Amino acid sequence: MSAVSSDTKSLAARATAVIPGGVNSGQRRVPGLEGLVVTATSGSTFTDSEGHTYTDYHSAFGPPLLGHNDPDVDGAVVNASSLTGVGVTRVEIELAERLVDAVPSLEKVLLTATGSEATFHALRLARTVTGRRHVIKFQGCYHGWHDSVAMNVISPAERVGGKDPLSQGILPEVLDATIVCRFNDADDVERALAEHDVAAIILEPIPHNIGTVLPKSGFLERLRELATKHGTILIFDEVITGFRHGLGGYQAVAGVTPDVTTLGKAMANGWPVSALGGKAELMDLFSTTPGQPAFFAGTFNGHPATTAAALATIDKLQREPVHEHVFALGERARTGLTALYERLGVRAVVSGFGSVFVTYFLEGPVESYDDLLRNDVDFFVGYRRELMKEGSFELPLNLKRSHFSYAHTDEDVDRLLVGTEAAVTRYLEQAT
Ligand SMILES: Cc1ncc(COP(=O)(O)O)c(C=O)c1O
């Protein structure tokens, strides 16, 4: 960051004195932005301790689909009771009914607090029902911090094709039990299924943790066929795509129905709630049904406040033209950015879906993670740092996507395009 005031310096120093690294998620520590202290969020913006207000396209990795501090959602939270911790509440029943109505694969659903918990339970369920050991994930997909999936997301070139754990401390047996396949390569999956006893295939139907890599026509359908043929549980991790790309998730857009689905992030517009659901015969194996084998618990599961936030979010998504609005903004940005880079003579691939957009600096096509190894990382990160000076914030980290919310406007997009041109031009001048 540019020179900062003594107040910000002292806040940053206080943070690093008592919080390891000064942040509460490794993903929030961004090179060049050490010491960034956020003091307020509102609608499409956030403000830092230096008094800079940015139009926020990072959007906390995606939850505030309606915009920060949506009054309807936050009002529902304020009016909710605190935890009861026994039996069930009316809001939990209502939310489960609404989710089952909205998402094609859900016959029954359980609530958790974070996306990682949802994917953890989904994999445990798959191993319980199949009695098998292995799971397949894809290079570039992220499903949370737990051992079976914390590997092979944004891997360096030399580790693609092997195991690339995100952490030490993972048991080698757990690492061994995860097979990493190439996204959009169904033959790779078919080979893995033939060679191993595979309990589950888990994927982001659009791998948004590496920007936006769209599934090729027929890929998701082929996974569905292969999973059915091999008796393997197909899990769509819709923690990002659910709600954001439609109330029914991307599965409703693609017309492919997984066995189990995980949801999170935009589900309650920034309040911590997540869910997993699927066929009743699978979900009934959780220990919430007496005597069943897949243990399931969580003090904050179905918390009245976050459950009420999710219900209020669904209400608003159904009542107002949220998806039309954010999809139109996404289209306007992608079209404008494509024209801009053509005019500037910059080799770029503008990708995205609906409200999500990202520009890679490489020669297309982009079909799998290995294509993204060609991305010009310095350009990707460098112009985003310059963009902050224009008042727009896209996370300056390689391959990270940007988001529109209901609070963003056409004018925001136009300012983003003008700001991007200035930022790219400055970056290129400095780079030469
Ligand atoms: C697709 C996907 N699944 C799961 C997770 C984990 O969610 P959480 O960070 O809430 O544990 C994430 C988080 O970014 C995600 O993007």
Side-chain angles (χ1 to χ4, degrees), residues 6 17 20 22 115 166 171 206 236 251 266 307 347 418:
S6 56
L166 294 175
L171 291 174
I206 301 177
F236 277 10
Q251 59 194 262
T307 306
R347 187 184 54 189
V418 171

Side-chain angles (χ1 to χ4, degrees), residues 5-77:
S5 68
S6 56
D7 184 38
T8 294
K9 274 191 197 142
S10 95
L11 282 169
R14 279 170 58 195
T16 44
V18 286
I19 303 171
V23 286
N24 272 304
S25 166
Q27 297 298 96
R28 292 184 204 155
R29 189 166 183 83
V30 179
L33 298 188
E34 294 86 357
L36 175 71
V37 179
V38 176
T39 52
T41 54
S42 172
S44 61
T45 67
F46 75 85
T47 302
D48 69 15
S49 52
E50 295 293 285
H52 299 127
T53 294
Y54 300 97
T55 307
D56 184 11
Y57 297 101
H58 167 46
S59 301
F61 290 105
L65 175 58
L66 301 172
H68 292 292
N69 311 96
D70 181 83
D72 296 325
V73 177
D74 294 5
V77 172

Side-chain angles (χ1 to χ4, degrees), residues 148-429:
S148 288
V149 288
M151 64 190 81
N152 295 81
V153 186
I154 299 183
S155 301
E158 65 276 13
R159 303 190 86 162
V160 173
K163 293 285 165 69
D164 180 28
L166 294 175
S167 180
Q168 296 204 5
I170 299 176
L171 291 174
E173 302 88 290
V174 181
L175 264 184
D176 284 349
T178 299
I179 303 157
V180 181
C181 286
R182 202 171 159 266
F183 192 79
N184 271 331
D185 188 345
D187 293 343
D188 195 25
V189 177
E190 189 162 24
R191 270 192 301 277
L193 287 168
E195 285 169 18
H196 303 276
D197 56 336
V198 179
I201 302 169
I202 185 167
L203 69 149
E204 297 176 68
I206 301 177
H208 277 311
N209 276 287
I210 46 172
T212 299
V213 177
L214 292 171
K216 278 167 55 177
S217 163
F219 175 65
L220 297 177
E221 288 81 352
R222 185 91 189 279
L223 291 185
R224 178 61 282 176
E225 280 165 26
L226 287 170
T228 304
K229 180 174 159 204
H230 288 265
T232 296
I233 303 298
L234 182 63
I235 303 169
F236 277 10
D237 179 357
E238 298 231 40
V239 163
I240 297 174
T241 52
F243 285 70
R244 184 163 277 284
H245 294 341
L247 255 185
Y250 190 70
Q251 59 194 262
V253 178
V256 177
T257 306
D259 301 303
V260 175
T261 298
T262 54
L263 299 163
K265 290 206 197 282
M267 191 175 159
N269 203 53
W271 294 95
V273 66
S274 61
L276 74 153
K279 291 185 178 145
E281 71 202 55
L282 296 176
M283 295 301 293
D284 282 337
L285 292 174
F286 279 114
S287 64
T288 43
T289 301
Q292 291 294 59
F295 183 72
F296 185 85
T299 304
F300 294 117
N301 291 355
H303 192 288
T306 57
T307 306
L311 272 174
T313 302
I314 295 177
D315 277 344
K316 194 149 183 174
L317 292 177
Q318 287 181 327
R319 200 174 61 232
E320 298 194 23
V322 177
H323 287 110
E324 288 87 328
H325 181 76
V326 296
F327 272 55
L329 294 179
E331 200 51 45
R332 189 180 178 97
R334 287 187 292 273
T335 307
L337 288 168
T338 304
L340 171 66
Y341 288 115
E342 267 170 28
R343 187 157 50 73
L344 294 179
V346 169
R347 187 184 54 189
V349 172
V350 178
S351 187
F353 183 86
S355 60
V356 174
F357 65 101
V358 63
T359 304
Y360 304 117
F361 298 97
L362 47 67
E363 191 69 48
V366 172
E367 295 181 348
S368 212
Y369 177 76
D370 34 281
D371 294 318
L372 298 178
L373 293 169
R374 300 195 301 270
N375 185 40
D376 183 336
V377 181
D378 289 342
F379 197 150
F380 191 98
V381 172
Y383 96 91
R384 287 177 175 216
R385 287 200 185 135
E386 290 299 322
L387 190 60
M388 287 179 71
K389 298 176 191 154
E390 306 297 320
S392 289
F393 189 84
E394 294 193 57
L395 194 66
L397 264 187
N398 190 30
L399 304 184
K400 291 303 162 198
R401 67 195 176 278
S402 297
H403 312 82
F404 286 107
S405 76
Y406 195 41
H408 287 90
T409 62
D410 281 351
E411 292 69 41
D412 286 327
V413 180
D414 296 344
R415 266 197 304 277
L416 177 69
L417 294 174
V418 171
T420 302
E421 175 155 9
V424 165
T425 306
R426 266 204 311 278
Y427 170 76
L428 287 173
E429 277 164 12

Side-chain angles (χ1 to χ4, degrees), residues 114-117 119 142-145 204 209 237 239-240 265:
T114 67
S116 297
E117 291 167 66
T119 58
Y142 178 68
H143 307 290
W145 39 252
E204 297 176 68
N209 276 287
D237 179 357
V239 163
I240 297 174
K265 290 206 197 282

